[in-house]
Amino acid sequence: MNAWDLLWYLITQLGSYYFYVAALTIIYLGFNRKLGKKLATIELSNIWLSAFLKDFFKIPRPPREFWKYQVEGYGFPSGHTQ
């Protein structure tokens, strides 16, 4: 993996559920519990909505020859943009 691939991989991880779990934990425990609860409610609702919409639309991802990384599931709506 070259430097550009690594950079974009790390940026992509900012949209992962693992990042949100870690960030929400830090916000809840380290800064403001009320804000942490609100943000967690929003994120959990977003995760549910994204899963529901992906199952509803069932639009496949682009062809595999365009992929840099193996991914699963449907491609729309994008979890990153949501």
Side-chain angles (χ1 to χ4, degrees), residues 24-33:
L24 290 171
T25 302
I26 291 167
I27 291 168
Y28 180 80
L29 295 175
F31 296 102
N32 186 323
R33 290 181 184 237

Side-chain angles (χ1 to χ4, degrees), residues 6 12 17 23 25 31 36 43 59 61 63-64 77-78:
L6 178 61
T12 297
Y17 300 126
T25 302
F31 296 102
E43 181 56 24
I59 296 176
R61 294 185 180 273
R64 289 186 188 262
S78 167

Side-chain angles (χ1 to χ4, degrees), residues 36-74:
K37 285 180 186 178
K38 285 181 181 180
L39 292 175
T41 301
I42 291 168
E43 181 56 24
L44 290 173
S45 298
N46 187 47
I47 290 169
W48 177 83
L49 180 63
S50 179
F52 174 80
L53 290 174
K54 283 179 185 282
D55 261 358
F56 181 79
F57 289 111
K58 296 183 179 181
I59 296 176
R61 294 185 180 273
R64 289 186 188 262
E65 60 264 16
F66 297 123
W67 294 10
K68 275 201 168 241
Y69 303 100
Q70 178 68 31
V71 289
E72 299 294 326
Y74 298 113

